[in-house]
Amino acid sequence: MATITTVAAMVTFRSPRTLPARSPAPLPLRRSVVSFAGMPARARAPRRLVAAAASPSTPPELAQKVSESIKQAEETCAGDPVGGECLAAWDEVEELSAAASHARDRKKDSDPLEEYCKDNPEADECRTYED
Amino acid sequence: MAISSLHATTSLHSPCTTNTSFRQNQVILFTTRSSRRGSTRHGGGGARTCFQVSCSADKPVVIGLAADSGCGKSTFMRRLTSVFGGAAEPPKGGNPDSNTLISDTTTVICLDDYHSLDRTGRKEKGVTALDPRANDFDLMYEQVKAIKEGKAIEKPIYNHVTGLLDPPELIQPPKIFVIEGLHPMFDERVRDLLDFSIYLDISDEVKFAWKIQRDMAERGHSLESIKASIEARKPDFDAFIDPQKQYADAVIEVLPTQLIPDDNEGKVLRVKLIMKEGVKNFNPVYLFDEGSSITWVPCGRKLTCSYPGIKFAYGPDSYFGNEVSVLEMDGQFDRLDELIYVESHLSNLSTKFYGEVTQQMLKHADFPGSNNGTGLFQTIVGLKIRDLYEQIIAERAGAPAEAAKV
């Protein structure tokens, strides 16, 4: 089959992207929080751990809401573990945790300059030139 | 004769040119490309369809995605919008807590916006967000129907931060309208409006591992609280959300790997793409020979993989009484050439060029799941949806052309 030659051709075409080096996705980094059985990808993890240290935390009010909702859910369920209020309370915890996780992702993706330029495209820093 | 009919059709579409001229060009490109491919049944419609497609593009193609992971920001949505081109962003100048995402071709709305009870209301009634009693299906049906007919809607906003229902936002009908959330296929009327539906089925063990990963860093959360939260939602989830998977045209099922004994971290995944047979405009992906069963380990002499390797399986099956084809991948991609090797052996991918799946995966190599079946199958489903969209548009364009010819 011609697949090997085409693979070689594709590889040379793609090399400027250097993405394969990153392809073990951020998943390995955050996994360092959980116990880790010996995985070969770990050899690459040390390089990535440096980036992990800088990962953003949840905005404070949202983090506050999450911890409050957890306390409240624990209190509600202490009295009545299967009642509707208990289920609704844990559902709220889940909803807030999801919102917190999305907020973290958004913060991670956002570039302060891009954010500023979205609102002020005419500012000096945001001027673009097309030749 | 031919010229006069062309003129007739161009006049039909003039109202559409006012504010959508750029987008029209994109649509035209789609149809000509598809007829050149030669694989569509609408062969000769190339030139004629260029002019009529623009108007029917105002009637969106509606896709439903059932997922438990919150709305609109999910990886699946980002991959899907990327297949169509352009980045999806929240509506500019609107509510900053809006759940909607808009790109050039696609608008994704979150079905949480159709909650009839806000967070306090649900707490009072002792009802979770998964419960149908917390959702207004009548409004959902009305609005999805309106969008499908090409009308703009004023859709409520559910603010996930405050837990309140905010004032509505205006949504214009896009080319592709995606409804994402917990109940896209719950209501029968809404189900009938969907042109294609997908269900993301995450198994309990994987869900647990992912939620631990997501929440452990959060102050206040502990292993027990995460576990309690999952278990509290499980009864409602099994009763109301899970049954939707029988209606889905494609199910992406994520399970723990079978390649590593006793793996409980959910790092290596076994992902199944369950595709319903007989769905209009949708041809399931297959491996080697359609309709036969095969197990395939690509790693060997031609391709070396690192531990734990990759294993594929394909075969027909029955899923909740429906005929389906199942494509399964267990393991991880470690290198680019593994990805391209696998892509070259899969058929019916609906790619426009060799290596498109690999290119899309590489474009988003930092997304979660980019090295395993979740990313691969999400990308493939995205390409299938693009194919479905082009077929529908070509069909719609073909019909008036037939009428105009007479």
Side-chain angles (χ1 to χ4, degrees):
Chain A
M1 280 206 241
T3 33
I4 297 302
T5 44
T6 37
V7 163
M10 294 297 282
V11 169
T12 47
F13 176 73
R14 298 259 181 264
S15 52
R17 285 177 181 257
T18 68
L19 285 168
R22 289 169 58 203
S23 59
L27 225 50
L29 338 146
R30 291 200 270 181
R31 294 220 139 269
S32 58
V33 175
V34 184
S35 66
F36 221 104
M39 291 284 167
R42 199 202 258 173
R44 273 172 278 210
R47 228 200 301 153
R48 306 297 310 240
L49 276 169
V50 176
S55 64
S57 53
T58 330
E61 340 84 44
L62 207 44
Q64 179 83 348
K65 279 200 168 126
V66 172
S67 24
E68 271 168 20
S69 68
I70 296 173
K71 275 196 212 101
Q72 222 191 8
E74 282 166 354
E75 280 163 27
T76 321
C77 294
D80 176 22
V82 290
E85 282 91 30
C86 175
L87 303 183
W90 281 120
D91 187 42
E92 185 181 329
V93 169
E94 165 61 31
E95 190 189 337
L96 285 166
S97 307
S101 152
H102 289 144
R104 278 196 298 267
D105 288 340
R106 251 197 309 239
K107 243 165 92 172
K108 188 169 54 164
D109 287 338
S110 73
D111 175 11
L113 180 64
E114 289 299 323
E115 290 294 317
Y116 174 70
C117 287
K118 261 189 224 164
D119 297 324
N120 308 286
E122 70 289 344
D124 280 339
E125 300 89 349
C126 303
R127 289 173 68 178
T128 52
Y129 300 88
E130 276 152 60
D131 290 309
Chain B
M1 191 61 190
I3 295 169
S4 58
S5 59
L6 269 176
H7 278 289
T9 53
T10 47
S11 64
L12 267 175
H13 84 74
S14 48
C16 305
T17 54
T18 46
N19 51 1
T20 56
S21 42
F22 177 66
R23 275 194 263 149
Q24 279 176 342
N25 292 334
Q26 283 185 313
V27 179
I28 289 168
L29 278 171
F30 276 149
T31 46
T32 50
R33 255 191 256 160
S34 66
S35 51
R36 249 191 267 134
R37 245 195 301 143
S39 59
T40 65
R41 290 154 242 139
H42 320 287
R48 266 200 319 275
T49 53
C50 274
F51 299 87
Q52 287 144 354
V53 155
S54 37
C55 240
S56 48
D58 287 339
K59 288 214 170 122
V61 166
V62 183
I63 314 280
L65 172 64
D68 189 19
S69 54
C71 296
K73 290 119 187 142
S74 69
T75 320
F76 196 155
M77 279 304 107
R78 292 194 282 175
R79 285 193 203 272
L80 180 62
T81 43
S82 161
V83 161
F84 283 99
E89 282 165 1
K92 291 195 169 57
N95 187 332
D97 291 321
S98 161
N99 304 307
T100 309
L101 285 182
I102 302 185
S103 78
D104 291 335
T105 47
T106 318
T107 294
V108 183
I109 64 158
C110 177
L111 292 177
D112 284 355
D113 292 333
Y114 293 111
H115 278 332
S116 49
L117 300 169
D118 63 11
R119 208 177 280 157
T120 2
R122 290 198 299 269
K123 244 200 293 217
E124 278 166 19
K125 289 220 168 140
V127 142
T128 63
L130 306 157
D131 196 313
R133 287 175 290 170
N135 298 287
D136 187 352
F137 289 105
D138 291 329
L139 184 62
M140 191 193 293
Y141 167 62
E142 262 170 47
Q143 296 207 329
V144 176
K145 183 153 169 274
I147 280 269
K148 191 150 185 184
E149 288 165 1
K151 305 184 197 134
I153 54 168
E154 286 277 348
K155 180 191 63 67
I157 299 178
Y158 176 75
N159 191 320
H160 283 99
V161 176
T162 60
L164 301 168
L165 284 160
D166 287 347
E169 61 184 349
L170 183 67
I171 305 283
Q172 296 288 353
K175 294 201 184 92
I176 306 199
F177 188 66
V178 184
I179 60 172
E180 183 184 5
L182 293 163
H183 304 96
M185 296 166 259
F186 185 84
D187 187 280
E188 195 178 341
R189 304 164 294 175
V190 180
R191 217 186 297 149
D192 291 338
L193 292 172
L194 300 175
D195 293 301
F196 194 73
S197 52
I198 306 141
Y199 184 94
L200 268 177
D201 184 12
I202 319 290
S203 73
D204 295 334
E205 303 93 333
V206 177
K207 200 181 271 194
F208 188 41
W210 284 2
K211 293 214 164 150
I212 290 177
Q213 194 199 46
R214 185 190 76 182
D215 295 336
M216 273 303 257
E218 195 66 51
R219 185 172 48 97
H221 258 304
S222 62
L223 200 62
E224 291 77 30
S225 68
I226 297 174
K227 215 168 159 194
S229 165
I230 295 178
E231 275 165 16
R233 295 174 92 239
K234 205 163 180 338
D236 275 356
F237 190 87
D238 290 340
F240 305 119
I241 315 297
D242 209 51
Q244 291 179 90
K245 58 190 187 192
Q246 60 184 299
Y247 303 115
D249 298 317
V251 177
I252 298 183
E253 195 177 338
V254 184
L255 304 152
T257 182
Q258 286 177 331
L259 300 174
I260 305 170
D262 304 322
D263 174 65
N264 60 352
E265 284 133 28
K267 190 173 172 285
V268 182
L269 298 169
R270 176 172 158 231
V271 189
K272 288 171 121 172
L273 177 59
I274 302 167
M275 300 164 280
K276 209 185 255 183
E277 289 288 343
V279 175
K280 197 155 177 272
N281 299 320
F282 174 57
N283 298 310
V285 181
Y286 66 89
L287 184 57
F288 178 58
D289 178 25
E290 204 169 4
S292 63
S293 301
I294 184 171
T295 314
W296 178 49
V297 178
C299 314
R301 290 202 192 109
K302 280 192 198 157
L303 187 72
T304 23
C305 314
S306 51
Y307 182 81
I310 305 171
K311 184 167 168 201
F312 273 85
Y314 165 77
D317 203 352
S318 178
Y319 188 74
F320 292 101
N322 300 311
E323 287 295 309
V324 295
S325 294
V326 183
L327 178 65
E328 180 184 319
M329 173 180 162
D330 197 352
Q332 288 189 146
F333 293 115
D334 223 26
R335 295 188 325 275
L336 166 67
D337 44 344
E338 289 169 15
L339 197 43
I340 196 77
Y341 193 82
V342 162
E343 181 179 349
S344 61
H345 288 84
L346 289 169
S347 312
N348 248 351
L349 285 172
S350 304
T351 49
K352 294 215 159 117
F353 53 85
Y354 174 68
E356 191 174 12
V357 174
T358 305
Q359 189 196 59
Q360 282 291 329
M361 295 274 283
L362 288 179
K363 210 162 128 188
H364 305 293
D366 55 334
F367 285 2
S370 292
N371 62 344
N372 60 40
T374 46
L376 177 66
F377 293 151
Q378 285 174 2
T379 308
I380 291 177
V381 169
L383 294 169
K384 285 283 162 204
I385 290 177
R386 181 182 67 186
D387 184 40
L388 175 121
Y389 168 77
E390 290 170 3
Q391 286 184 47
I392 291 179
I393 293 298
E395 254 172 48
R396 283 188 195 156
E402 296 299 309
K405 256 185 18 180
V406 176

